[in-house]
Amino acid sequence: MLVVMAKYKTQSKFAEAVDTAPAYLSQLKKGVHPSGKPVSIGDDLARKIEERLGLEFGWMDRSHTELFPDSVVQ
């Protein structure tokens, strides 16, 4: 998810583009809900991001480290 967020100036702009709450994206980036439960991107959100950003089906299911070879972004 961080790869697709990188082209947006703010997390709020990305959240708006994919029609998802910024707070939920924060939880996903941290990998944990405020309750302490682990959080991860589900299929529904992955498909929604792909659709909203014009990415091919399944794009979110693959690693894209080649887009940022000098970073740890995945």
Side-chain angles (χ1 to χ4, degrees):
M1 180 175 72
L2 295 177
V3 170
V4 293
M5 288 180 69
K7 74 176 198 172
Y8 292 86
K9 290 187 181 211
T10 66
Q11 185 171 295
S12 293
K13 293 286 185 192
F14 176 70
E16 185 179 316
V18 298
D19 192 29
T20 300
Y24 183 55
L25 294 177
S26 289
Q27 292 172 22
L28 289 170
K29 283 176 64 178
K30 293 176 187 173
V32 66
H33 184 271
S35 69
K37 279 181 77 173
V39 178
S40 62
I41 297 174
D43 287 339
D44 290 343
L45 180 57
R47 301 299 78 86
K48 182 178 179 180
I49 291 170
E50 291 164 353
E51 181 181 324
R52 300 282 177 151
L53 300 183
L55 303 169
E56 68 181 72
F57 183 90
W59 193 93
M60 293 289 295
D61 298 328
R62 297 186 302 271
S63 173
H64 297 282
T65 54
E66 74 281 359
L67 299 175
F68 296 93
D70 296 330
S71 76
V72 294
V73 174
Q74 299 200 21

Coordinates of all heavy atoms in Angstrom, one line a residue:
M1 N 0.8 -1.2 0.0 CA 0.0 0.0 0.0 C 0.9 1.3 0.0 O 0.5 2.2 -0.6 CB -0.9 0.0 1.2 CG -1.8 1.2 1.2 SD -3.1 1.3 2.5 CE -2.1 1.6 3.9
L2 N 2.0 1.2 0.7 CA 2.9 2.4 0.7 C 3.3 2.8 -0.6 O 3.5 4.0 -0.9 CB 4.1 2.1 1.6 CG 3.7 1.8 3.1 CD1 5.0 1.5 3.9 CD2 3.0 3.0 3.7
V3 N 3.5 1.9 -1.5 CA 3.9 2.2 -2.9 C 2.9 3.1 -3.6 O 3.2 4.2 -4.2 CB 4.1 1.0 -3.8 CG1 4.3 1.3 -5.2 CG2 5.3 0.2 -3.2
V4 N 1.6 2.8 -3.5 CA 0.6 3.6 -4.1 C 0.3 4.9 -3.4 O -0.1 5.9 -4.0 CB -0.7 2.9 -4.3 CG1 -0.6 1.8 -5.3 CG2 -1.3 2.4 -3.1
M5 N 0.6 5.0 -2.1 CA 0.4 6.2 -1.3 C 1.5 7.2 -1.6 O 1.3 8.4 -1.5 CB 0.5 5.9 0.2 CG -0.8 5.2 0.7 SD -0.7 4.8 2.4 CE -0.8 6.5 3.1
A6 N 2.7 6.7 -2.1 CA 3.8 7.6 -2.3 C 3.6 8.8 -3.2 O 4.2 9.8 -3.1 CB 5.0 6.8 -2.7
K7 N 2.7 8.6 -4.2 CA 2.5 9.7 -5.2 C 1.5 10.7 -4.7 O 1.3 11.7 -5.3 CB 2.0 9.1 -6.5 CG 0.6 8.6 -6.5 CD 0.3 8.2 -8.0 CE -1.2 8.1 -8.1 NZ -1.6 7.8 -9.5
Y8 N 1.0 10.6 -3.5 CA 0.1 11.6 -2.9 C 0.8 12.4 -1.8 O 1.6 11.8 -1.1 CB -1.2 10.9 -2.3 CG -2.0 10.3 -3.3 CD1 -1.8 9.0 -3.8 CD2 -3.1 11.0 -3.9 CE1 -2.6 8.4 -4.8 CE2 -3.9 10.4 -4.9 CZ -3.6 9.1 -5.3 OH -4.4 8.6 -6.3
K9 N 0.5 13.7 -1.8 CA 1.2 14.6 -0.9 C 0.9 14.3 0.6 O 1.7 14.4 1.5 CB 0.9 16.0 -1.2 CG 1.5 16.5 -2.5 CD 1.3 18.0 -2.7 CE 1.9 18.3 -4.0 NZ 2.5 19.7 -4.0
T10 N -0.3 13.8 0.8 CA -0.7 13.5 2.2 C -1.5 12.2 2.2 O -2.1 11.8 1.2 CB -1.6 14.6 2.8 OG1 -2.8 14.7 2.1 CG2 -0.9 16.0 2.8
Q11 N -1.6 11.6 3.4 CA -2.4 10.4 3.6 C -3.8 10.7 3.4 O -4.6 9.9 2.9 CB -2.1 9.9 5.0 CG -2.8 8.6 5.3 CD -2.4 8.0 6.6 OE1 -1.2 7.6 6.8 NE2 -3.3 7.9 7.6
S12 N -4.2 12.0 3.8 CA -5.6 12.4 3.6 C -6.0 12.4 2.1 O -7.1 12.0 1.7 CB -5.9 13.7 4.2 OG -5.8 13.6 5.6
K13 N -5.1 12.9 1.3 CA -5.4 12.9 -0.2 C -5.5 11.5 -0.7 O -6.4 11.3 -1.6 CB -4.2 13.7 -0.9 CG -4.2 15.1 -0.6 CD -5.3 15.9 -1.2 CE -5.2 17.4 -1.0 NZ -6.3 18.1 -1.4
F14 N -4.6 10.6 -0.3 CA -4.8 9.2 -0.7 C -6.1 8.6 -0.2 O -6.8 8.0 -1.0 CB -3.6 8.4 -0.2 CG -3.7 6.9 -0.5 CD1 -3.5 6.5 -1.8 CD2 -4.0 6.0 0.4 CE1 -3.6 5.2 -2.2 CE2 -4.1 4.7 0.1 CZ -3.9 4.3 -1.2
A15 N -6.4 8.9 1.0 CA -7.7 8.3 1.6 C -8.9 8.8 0.8 O -9.8 8.1 0.4 CB -7.8 8.8 3.0
E16 N -8.8 10.1 0.4 CA -9.9 10.7 -0.4 C -9.9 10.0 -1.8 O -11.0 9.7 -2.3 CB -9.6 12.2 -0.6 CG -10.7 12.9 -1.3 CD -10.4 14.4 -1.4 OE1 -10.0 15.0 -0.4 OE2 -10.6 15.0 -2.5
A17 N -8.8 9.8 -2.4 CA -8.7 9.2 -3.7 C -9.3 7.7 -3.8 O -9.9 7.3 -4.7 CB -7.3 9.1 -4.2
V18 N -9.1 7.0 -2.7 CA -9.6 5.6 -2.6 C -10.8 5.5 -1.8 O -11.3 4.4 -1.5 CB -8.5 4.7 -2.1 CG1 -7.3 4.7 -3.1 CG2 -8.0 5.0 -0.7
D19 N -11.4 6.6 -1.3 CA -12.7 6.6 -0.6 C -12.6 5.7 0.7 O -13.4 4.9 0.9 CB -13.8 6.2 -1.5 CG -15.2 6.5 -0.9 OD1 -15.3 7.4 0.0 OD2 -16.1 5.8 -1.2
T20 N -11.6 6.0 1.5 CA -11.4 5.3 2.7 C -11.0 6.3 3.8 O -10.3 7.2 3.5 CB -10.2 4.2 2.5 OG1 -10.6 3.3 1.5 CG2 -10.0 3.4 3.8
A21 N -11.4 6.0 5.0 CA -11.1 6.9 6.1 C -9.6 7.0 6.4 O -8.9 5.9 6.5 CB -11.8 6.4 7.4
P22 N -9.1 8.2 6.6 CA -7.6 8.4 6.9 C -7.2 7.6 8.1 O -6.1 7.1 8.2 CB -7.5 9.9 7.1 CG -8.6 10.5 6.3 CD -9.7 9.5 6.4
A23 N -8.1 7.6 9.1 CA -7.8 6.9 10.4 C -7.6 5.4 10.1 O -6.7 4.7 10.7 CB -8.9 7.1 11.4
Y24 N -8.3 4.8 9.2 CA -8.2 3.4 8.9 C -6.9 3.1 8.2 O -6.2 2.2 8.5 CB -9.4 2.9 8.1 CG -9.3 1.4 7.8 CD1 -9.2 0.5 8.8 CD2 -9.3 1.0 6.5 CE1 -9.2 -0.9 8.5 CE2 -9.3 -0.4 6.2 CZ -9.2 -1.3 7.2 OH -9.1 -2.7 6.9
L25 N -6.5 4.0 7.3 CA -5.2 3.9 6.6 C -4.0 4.0 7.6 O -3.1 3.3 7.5 CB -5.0 5.0 5.6 CG -6.0 4.9 4.4 CD1 -5.8 6.0 3.4 CD2 -5.8 3.5 3.7
S26 N -4.2 4.8 8.6 CA -3.1 4.9 9.7 C -3.0 3.6 10.4 O -1.9 3.1 10.7 CB -3.5 6.0 10.7 OG -3.3 7.3 10.1
Q27 N -4.1 3.0 10.7 CA -4.1 1.7 11.4 C -3.4 0.6 10.5 O -2.6 -0.2 11.0 CB -5.5 1.2 11.7 CG -6.2 2.0 12.8 CD -7.7 1.7 12.9 OE1 -8.1 0.6 12.5 NE2 -8.5 2.6 13.4
L28 N -3.7 0.7 9.2 CA -3.1 -0.3 8.3 C -1.6 -0.1 8.2 O -0.8 -1.0 8.2 CB -3.7 -0.1 6.9 CG -5.1 -0.6 6.7 CD1 -5.7 -0.2 5.4 CD2 -5.2 -2.2 6.9
K29 N -1.2 1.2 8.2 CA 0.3 1.5 8.1 C 1.0 1.0 9.3 O 2.1 0.5 9.3 CB 0.5 3.0 7.9 CG 0.3 3.5 6.5 CD 0.4 5.0 6.4 CE 1.8 5.4 6.7 NZ 1.9 6.9 6.5
K30 N 0.3 1.1 10.5 CA 0.9 0.7 11.8 C 0.8 -0.8 11.9 O 1.5 -1.5 12.7 CB 0.3 1.4 12.9 CG 0.6 2.9 13.0 CD -0.2 3.5 14.1 CE -0.1 5.0 14.1 NZ -0.9 5.7 15.1
G31 N -0.2 -1.4 11.3 CA -0.5 -2.8 11.4 C -1.2 -3.2 12.6 O -1.3 -4.4 13.0
V32 N -1.8 -2.2 13.3 CA -2.5 -2.5 14.5 C -3.7 -1.6 14.7 O -3.6 -0.4 14.5 CB -1.5 -2.5 15.7 CG1 -1.0 -1.1 16.0 CG2 -2.2 -3.1 17.0
H33 N -4.8 -2.1 15.2 CA -5.9 -1.3 15.6 C -5.7 -0.7 17.0 O -4.9 -1.3 17.8 CB -7.2 -2.3 15.7 CG -8.4 -1.6 15.9 ND1 -8.9 -1.4 17.2 CD2 -9.4 -1.1 15.1 CE1 -10.1 -0.8 17.1 NE2 -10.4 -0.6 15.8
P34 N -6.3 0.4 17.3 CA -6.2 1.0 18.7 C -6.4 0.0 19.8 O -5.9 0.1 20.9 CB -7.2 2.1 18.7 CG -7.3 2.5 17.3 CD -7.2 1.3 16.5
S35 N -7.2 -1.0 19.6 CA -7.5 -2.1 20.6 C -6.3 -3.0 20.8 O -6.3 -3.8 21.7 CB -8.7 -2.9 20.2 OG -8.5 -3.7 19.0
G36 N -5.4 -2.9 19.8 CA -4.2 -3.8 19.9 C -4.3 -5.0 18.9 O -3.3 -5.8 18.8
K37 N -5.4 -5.2 18.3 CA -5.6 -6.3 17.3 C -4.8 -6.0 16.1 O -4.8 -4.8 15.6 CB -7.1 -6.4 17.0 CG -7.9 -7.2 17.9 CD -9.3 -7.3 17.5 CE -9.4 -8.4 16.4 NZ -10.8 -8.7 16.0
P38 N -4.2 -7.0 15.5 CA -3.5 -6.8 14.2 C -4.5 -6.4 13.1 O -5.6 -6.8 13.1 CB -2.9 -8.1 13.9 CG -3.0 -8.9 15.1 CD -4.1 -8.3 15.9
V39 N -4.1 -5.5 12.2 CA -4.9 -5.1 11.1 C -4.1 -5.3 9.8 O -2.9 -5.0 9.7 CB -5.2 -3.6 11.2 CG1 -6.0 -3.1 10.0 CG2 -6.0 -3.3 12.5
S40 N -4.8 -5.7 8.7 CA -4.1 -5.8 7.4 C -5.1 -5.5 6.3 O -6.3 -5.5 6.6 CB -3.5 -7.2 7.2 OG -4.6 -8.2 7.2
I41 N -4.6 -5.2 5.2 CA -5.5 -4.9 4.0 C -6.2 -6.2 3.6 O -5.6 -7.2 3.3 CB -4.7 -4.4 2.8 CG1 -4.0 -3.0 3.2 CG2 -5.6 -4.2 1.6 CD1 -3.1 -2.5 2.2
G42 N -7.5 -6.1 3.6 CA -8.3 -7.3 3.1 C -8.5 -7.2 1.6 O -8.2 -6.2 0.9
D43 N -9.1 -8.2 1.0 CA -9.3 -8.3 -0.4 C -10.2 -7.2 -0.9 O -10.0 -6.6 -1.9 CB -10.0 -9.6 -0.8 CG -9.0 -10.8 -0.7 OD1 -7.8 -10.5 -0.8 OD2 -9.5 -11.9 -0.6
D44 N -11.3 -6.9 -0.1 CA -12.2 -5.8 -0.5 C -11.5 -4.5 -0.7 O -11.7 -3.8 -1.7 CB -13.4 -5.7 0.5 CG -14.3 -6.9 0.5 OD1 -14.3 -7.6 -0.5 OD2 -15.1 -7.0 1.4
L45 N -10.7 -4.1 0.3 CA -10.0 -2.8 0.2 C -8.9 -2.8 -0.9 O -8.8 -1.9 -1.6 CB -9.3 -2.4 1.6 CG -8.6 -1.1 1.5 CD1 -9.5 0.1 1.1 CD2 -7.9 -0.8 2.9
A46 N -8.3 -4.0 -1.0 CA -7.3 -4.1 -2.1 C -7.9 -3.9 -3.5 O -7.4 -3.1 -4.3 CB -6.6 -5.4 -2.1
R47 N -9.1 -4.5 -3.7 CA -9.8 -4.4 -5.0 C -10.3 -2.9 -5.1 O -10.3 -2.4 -6.2 CB -10.9 -5.3 -5.1 CG -10.6 -6.8 -5.0 CD -9.7 -7.4 -6.0 NE -8.3 -7.2 -5.8 CZ -7.4 -7.9 -5.1 NH1 -7.8 -8.9 -4.4 NH2 -6.1 -7.6 -5.0
K48 N -10.7 -2.3 -4.1 CA -11.2 -0.9 -4.1 C -10.1 0.0 -4.5 O -10.3 0.9 -5.4 CB -11.8 -0.6 -2.8 CG -12.4 0.8 -2.7 CD -13.0 1.0 -1.3 CE -13.6 2.4 -1.1 NZ -14.1 2.6 0.2
I49 N -8.9 -0.2 -3.9 CA -7.8 0.7 -4.2 C -7.4 0.5 -5.7 O -7.2 1.5 -6.4 CB -6.6 0.4 -3.3 CG1 -6.9 0.9 -1.9 CG2 -5.3 1.0 -3.8 CD1 -5.9 0.4 -0.9
E50 N -7.4 -0.7 -6.1 CA -7.0 -1.0 -7.6 C -8.0 -0.3 -8.5 O -7.7 0.3 -9.5 CB -7.1 -2.5 -7.8 CG -5.9 -3.2 -7.2 CD -6.1 -4.7 -7.1 OE1 -7.2 -5.2 -7.4 OE2 -5.2 -5.4 -6.7
E51 N -9.3 -0.5 -8.2 CA -10.3 0.1 -9.0 C -10.3 1.6 -9.0 O -10.3 2.3 -10.1 CB -11.7 -0.3 -8.5 CG -12.9 0.2 -9.4 CD -14.2 -0.2 -8.9 OE1 -14.4 -1.3 -8.4 OE2 -15.1 0.7 -8.9
R52 N -10.1 2.3 -7.9 CA -10.1 3.7 -7.8 C -8.9 4.3 -8.4 O -8.9 5.4 -8.9 CB -10.1 4.2 -6.3 CG -11.4 3.8 -5.6 CD -12.5 4.6 -5.9 NE -13.7 4.2 -5.2 CZ -14.7 4.9 -4.8 NH1 -14.7 6.2 -5.1 NH2 -15.7 4.4 -4.2
L53 N -7.7 3.6 -8.4 CA -6.5 4.1 -9.0 C -6.2 3.6 -10.4 O -5.1 3.9 -10.9 CB -5.3 3.8 -8.0 CG -5.5 4.4 -6.6 CD1 -4.2 4.1 -5.8 CD2 -5.7 5.9 -6.6
G54 N -7.1 2.8 -10.9 CA -6.9 2.3 -12.3 C -5.8 1.3 -12.4 O -5.2 1.2 -13.5
L55 N -5.6 0.5 -11.4 CA -4.6 -0.5 -11.4 C -5.3 -1.8 -11.8 O -6.4 -2.0 -11.6 CB -4.0 -0.7 -10.0 CG -3.4 0.6 -9.4 CD1 -3.0 0.4 -7.9 CD2 -2.1 0.9 -10.2
E56 N -4.5 -2.7 -12.3 CA -5.0 -4.0 -12.8 C -5.4 -4.9 -11.6 O -4.9 -4.7 -10.5 CB -4.0 -4.8 -13.6 CG -2.8 -5.3 -12.9 CD -1.8 -6.0 -13.7 OE1 -1.1 -5.3 -14.5 OE2 -1.7 -7.2 -13.6
F57 N -6.4 -5.7 -11.8 CA -6.9 -6.6 -10.7 C -5.7 -7.5 -10.2 O -4.9 -8.0 -11.0 CB -8.0 -7.5 -11.3 CG -8.6 -8.4 -10.2 CD1 -9.6 -8.1 -9.5 CD2 -8.0 -9.7 -10.0 CE1 -10.2 -8.9 -8.5 CE2 -8.5 -10.5 -9.0 CZ -9.6 -10.1 -8.3
G58 N -5.5 -7.5 -8.9 CA -4.5 -8.3 -8.3 C -3.2 -7.5 -8.1 O -2.2 -8.0 -7.5
W59 N -3.1 -6.3 -8.6 CA -1.9 -5.5 -8.4 C -1.5 -5.3 -7.0 O -0.3 -5.4 -6.6 CB -2.1 -4.1 -9.0 CG -0.8 -3.3 -9.2 CD1 -0.1 -3.2 -10.3 CD2 -0.2 -2.4 -8.2 NE1 1.0 -2.4 -10.1 CE2 0.9 -1.8 -8.9 CE3 -0.5 -2.0 -7.0 CZ2 1.7 -1.0 -8.2 CZ3 0.3 -1.1 -6.3 CH2 1.4 -0.6 -6.9
M60 N -2.4 -5.2 -6.1 CA -2.1 -5.0 -4.6 C -1.6 -6.3 -4.0 O -1.1 -6.2 -2.9 CB -3.4 -4.5 -3.9 CG -3.8 -3.1 -4.3 SD -2.7 -1.8 -3.6 CE -2.9 -2.0 -1.9
D61 N -1.8 -7.4 -4.7 CA -1.4 -8.7 -4.1 C 0.1 -9.0 -4.4 O 0.6 -10.0 -3.9 CB -2.2 -9.8 -4.7 CG -3.7 -9.6 -4.3 OD1 -4.0 -9.1 -3.2 OD2 -4.6 -10.0 -5.1
R62 N 0.8 -8.2 -5.1 CA 2.1 -8.4 -5.5 C 3.1 -7.4 -4.9 O 2.7 -6.3 -4.6 CB 2.3 -8.4 -7.0 CG 1.5 -9.5 -7.7 CD 1.7 -9.6 -9.2 NE 1.5 -8.3 -9.9 CZ 0.3 -8.0 -10.5 NH1 -0.8 -8.8 -10.3 NH2 0.1 -6.9 -11.1
S63 N 4.4 -7.8 -4.7 CA 5.4 -6.9 -4.3 C 5.8 -5.9 -5.4 O 5.8 -6.4 -6.6 CB 6.6 -7.7 -3.8 OG 7.7 -6.8 -3.5
H64 N 6.1 -4.7 -5.1 CA 6.5 -3.7 -6.1 C 7.7 -3.0 -5.6 O 7.9 -1.8 -5.9 CB 5.3 -2.8 -6.4 CG 4.1 -3.4 -6.9 ND1 4.0 -3.8 -8.2 CD2 3.0 -3.9 -6.3 CE1 2.9 -4.5 -8.4 NE2 2.2 -4.5 -7.3
T65 N 8.6 -3.7 -5.0 CA 9.9 -3.0 -4.5 C 10.7 -2.5 -5.7 O 11.5 -1.6 -5.5 CB 10.7 -4.0 -3.7 OG1 10.9 -5.2 -4.5 CG2 10.0 -4.3 -2.4
E66 N 10.5 -3.0 -6.9 CA 11.3 -2.5 -8.1 C 11.0 -1.0 -8.4 O 11.7 -0.3 -9.0 CB 11.0 -3.4 -9.3 CG 9.7 -3.2 -10.0 CD 8.5 -3.9 -9.3 OE1 8.7 -4.6 -8.3 OE2 7.4 -3.7 -9.8
L67 N 9.8 -0.5 -7.9 CA 9.4 0.8 -8.1 C 10.3 1.8 -7.2 O 10.4 3.0 -7.5 CB 8.0 1.1 -7.8 CG 7.0 0.3 -8.7 CD1 5.6 0.5 -8.3 CD2 7.2 0.6 -10.2
F68 N 10.8 1.3 -6.1 CA 11.6 2.1 -5.2 C 12.8 1.3 -4.7 O 12.9 0.8 -3.6 CB 10.7 2.5 -3.9 CG 9.6 3.4 -4.3 CD1 8.3 2.8 -4.5 CD2 9.7 4.7 -4.3 CE1 7.3 3.6 -4.8 CE2 8.7 5.5 -4.6 CZ 7.4 5.0 -4.9
P69 N 13.7 1.0 -5.6 CA 14.9 0.1 -5.3 C 15.7 0.5 -4.1 O 16.4 -0.3 -3.5 CB 15.7 0.1 -6.6 CG 15.3 1.3 -7.4 CD 13.9 1.6 -6.9
D70 N 15.8 1.8 -3.8 CA 16.6 2.3 -2.7 C 15.9 2.5 -1.4 O 16.4 3.1 -0.5 CB 17.3 3.6 -3.1 CG 18.2 3.4 -4.3 OD1 18.8 2.3 -4.5 OD2 18.3 4.4 -5.1
S71 N 14.7 1.9 -1.3 CA 14.0 2.1 0.0 C 13.5 0.7 0.4 O 13.6 -0.3 -0.2 CB 12.8 3.0 -0.3 OG 11.8 2.3 -0.9
V72 N 12.9 0.7 1.6 CA 12.3 -0.5 2.2 C 10.8 -0.5 2.0 O 10.1 -1.4 2.5 CB 12.6 -0.6 3.7 CG1 14.1 -0.8 3.9 CG2 12.1 0.6 4.5
V73 N 10.3 0.4 1.2 CA 8.9 0.5 0.9 C 8.5 -0.8 0.2 O 9.1 -1.2 -0.8 CB 8.5 1.7 0.0 CG1 7.1 1.7 -0.4 CG2 8.8 3.0 0.8
Q74 N 7.3 -1.4 0.6 CA 6.8 -2.6 -0.1 C 5.4 -2.4 -0.5 O 4.7 -1.6 0.0 CB 7.0 -3.8 0.8 CG 8.4 -4.0 1.1 CD 8.7 -5.4 1.5 OE1 7.9 -6.3 1.3 NE2 9.8 -5.6 2.2

